[in-house]
Amino acid sequence: MHNRVVITGLGVVAPNGVGLPLFTEALKNGLSGIKHDPELERLQFSCQIAGKPSVSAELAAQYFSELELKGLNSTGILYGVIAGMDAWKDAGLTVSAGDDPDWDSGTVFGAGTSGIDKFRESVYKIDDLQIRKLGSTAVVQTMASGISAFLGGKLGLGNQVTTNSSACTTGAESILMAYERIKSGGALRMLCGSTSDGGPYVWGGFDAMKVCTYKHNADPEKGSRPMSATASGFVPASGAGALVLESLESALQRGAVIYAEVLGGHINSGGQRGGGTMTAPNPSAVQRCIKKALRDAGIGAAEVDAVNGHLTATSKDAFEIRNWCEALGRRGADFPYVNSLKSAIGHCLSAAGSIESVASVLQLHHGFIFPNVNCEDLNPEIKAMVDESKIPQKMISADLNIVAKASFGFGDVNACVIFKKYSNKNK
């Protein structure tokens, strides 16, 4: 016997909305969070637009003590703590009081880099012989597991507390790691998700690789164009997404709101073989990942109602759609609805999978398909594979049952999660 795993809490810090209400509204209306970035222009980046969440000092003060905020220079930790604590609160859970931690609750919260601005600040201080001025939080802000350490302490988590890191696959992978722990009985609930620092020192390498768009610096909201014929590269972005996963039995006992069920999924790598490289996916591995995710979830390809793709607005979009077609054995008008949140928020790197998973779950729970913006000139290769009606450019209402969410990351790594709508009928 394995535990069924459901989602009871959501939290999000995205370029187009901080908190569930603002994010949901932006999601439904295709509102963009991509703006011109004066710092990228000053530093002579080719791409001078970006997606950055708006977090005020007043909002930050609701999640961090005055002492914690002193010297805090890690946007990833800022975003991740807000998203994680919001998800915990949304699930109706309280913070462990007293000396004993919550032995039944843990976190798998991913990151790509942590505190790169803090690290830069620290390097300069060390070089200037000011080591005593580094401050007491330099270590936790710059260590890879800084985000899970912060959340573990703030919530008093006594189960597994860890950080995963698998490039753009990080968020989806964290969900599946948490799912497996609950499914096997290792925990009653897990806070999972991922976060990403933002700014020039994170994004500079991508700009140098020429994978970011440079054609829309004067028109930021048009810059991110997944599945478009005029897609010219991704828009760098940052943020965090968080989900509380819980055993169905525990959720029912608490009377918790259940957003959706995690049916299963799969994680693999293409080994940078068979056409796969550090930056390009092995198509056989991608298709295998999707097929095995369906098998693990116990569903057939025909049952998938919608796909939330990785779809970054690069030349790889058509290849991704082809892989979905092959893995699902579906084309044309028979293909599921497909969308990419990156059209509105850009590519949030290690946070992408978790923010996009929050969006996927909201679609299931509220019954809608969020619009693909900026693909009015649909890529002809994609149009030849998928009917245009399956790539909506305006929000549509839809009674969804199954959504497949996939992420594909640098290093030829893949993850696919299968979400199912929850109702009292399928207790």
Side-chain angles (χ1 to χ4, degrees):
M1 291 289 292
H2 295 294
N3 292 317
R4 286 172 62 185
V5 181
V6 295
I7 300 162
T8 56
L10 298 172
V12 64
V13 175
N16 64 347
V18 176
L20 279 183
L22 288 176
F23 179 69
T24 304
E25 187 68 17
L27 193 64
K28 289 181 174 180
N29 292 292
L31 300 180
S32 177
I34 298 170
K35 299 177 181 177
H36 175 256
D37 191 315
E39 182 67 359
L40 299 185
E41 180 179 8
R42 185 186 72 80
L43 293 170
Q44 299 180 26
F45 273 52
S46 296
C47 178
Q48 297 171 6
I49 60 176
K52 294 165 68 174
S54 178
V55 178
S56 67
E58 291 76 18
L59 181 63
Q62 296 176 29
Y63 298 84
F64 295 87
S65 68
E66 187 176 341
L67 183 60
E68 288 171 331
L69 286 171
K70 186 178 180 181
L72 181 62
N73 197 11
S74 170
T75 51
I77 287 175
L78 176 69
Y79 302 152
V81 166
I82 293 173
M85 292 185 72
D86 277 359
W88 199 253
K89 182 179 179 181
D90 185 51
L93 296 167
T94 57
V95 175
S96 179
D99 293 332
D100 289 331
D102 179 354
W103 302 115
D104 295 320
S105 304
T107 185
V108 179
F109 216 95
T113 57
S114 184
I116 196 165
D117 287 313
K118 187 66 177 182
F119 192 80
R120 178 176 180 267
E121 172 191 311
S122 299
V123 167
Y124 279 121
K125 285 184 177 178
I126 292 169
D127 287 347
D128 289 340
L129 309 180
Q130 296 181 7
I131 192 168
R132 296 186 184 279
K133 294 184 178 180
L134 287 181
S136 60
T137 63
V139 172
V140 71
Q141 287 189 56
T142 56
M143 68 186 193
S145 58
I147 179 58
S148 58
F150 257 98
L151 287 168
K154 285 186 171 292
L155 300 175
L157 305 178
N159 208 280
Q160 181 184 24
V161 171
T162 191
T163 292
N164 67 308
S165 187
S166 297
C168 312
T169 308
T170 299
E173 181 183 73
S174 73
I175 294 168
L176 288 173
M177 291 174 69
Y179 163 77
E180 289 292 345
R181 189 161 183 84
I182 298 168
K183 178 183 174 183
S184 66
L188 285 184
R189 66 193 66 84
M190 296 289 290
L191 173 63
C192 58
S194 60
T195 188
S196 179
D197 282 69
Y201 305 108
V202 175
W203 300 330
F206 298 105
D207 199 77
M209 290 173 65
K210 299 182 179 179
V211 294
C212 297
T213 183
Y214 62 89
K215 295 183 176 181
H216 299 274
N217 290 335
D219 196 6
E221 293 187 3
K222 295 291 184 183
S224 188
R225 310 183 64 79
M227 297 186 283
S228 162
T230 51
S232 55
F234 73 75
V235 174
S238 56
L243 306 89
V244 173
L245 269 56
E246 187 167 0
S247 74
L248 175 61
E249 183 180 13
S250 172
L252 292 175
Q253 284 179 349
R254 293 195 305 112
V257 172
I258 297 175
Y259 284 100
E261 182 172 0
V262 181
L263 286 187
H266 190 68
I267 301 167
N268 75 358
S269 168
Q272 298 175 45
R273 301 291 192 273
T277 67
M278 184 64 75
T279 58
N282 174 340
S284 295
V286 169
Q287 293 172 33
R288 180 184 177 88
C289 183
I290 296 167
K291 288 177 180 179
K292 288 185 78 69
L294 297 176
R295 192 178 311 160
D296 184 66
I299 63 168
E303 296 179 74
V304 177
D305 299 308
V307 166
N308 182 233
H310 189 59
L311 298 166
T312 58
T314 66
S315 61
K316 302 299 180 184
D317 286 2
F319 289 104
E320 179 178 336
I321 294 297
R322 183 175 296 114
N323 284 327
W324 280 106
C325 286
E326 293 297 325
L328 298 176
R330 298 171 62 181
R331 291 175 176 266
D334 180 52
F335 196 81
Y337 289 108
V338 59
N339 53 16
S340 172
L341 186 58
K342 293 179 181 71
S343 61
I345 67 172
H347 190 349
C348 293
L349 305 175
S350 55
S354 57
I355 296 174
E356 292 162 11
S357 290
V358 170
S360 298
V361 171
L362 287 172
Q363 289 186 124
L364 268 176
H365 186 64
H366 294 295
F368 70 94
I369 303 286
F370 68 78
N372 294 285
V373 298
N374 300 329
C375 72
E376 62 278 356
D377 58 337
L378 193 60
N379 184 317
E381 289 184 65
I382 294 175
K383 193 186 297 187
M385 293 182 278
V386 177
D387 192 87
E388 288 187 67
S389 65
K390 296 299 182 175
I391 309 174
Q393 296 180 42
K394 292 184 179 180
M395 187 202 82
I396 58 174
S397 297
D399 185 17
L400 303 173
N401 190 48
I402 300 284
V403 172
K405 166 65 202 150
S407 295
F408 312 116
F410 269 36
D412 197 8
V413 292
N414 313 301
C416 182
V417 189
I418 307 298
F419 298 112
K420 179 184 172 80
K421 182 177 181 178
Y422 180 81
S423 71
N424 292 330
K425 295 178 182 179
N426 57 12
K427 283 183 180 180

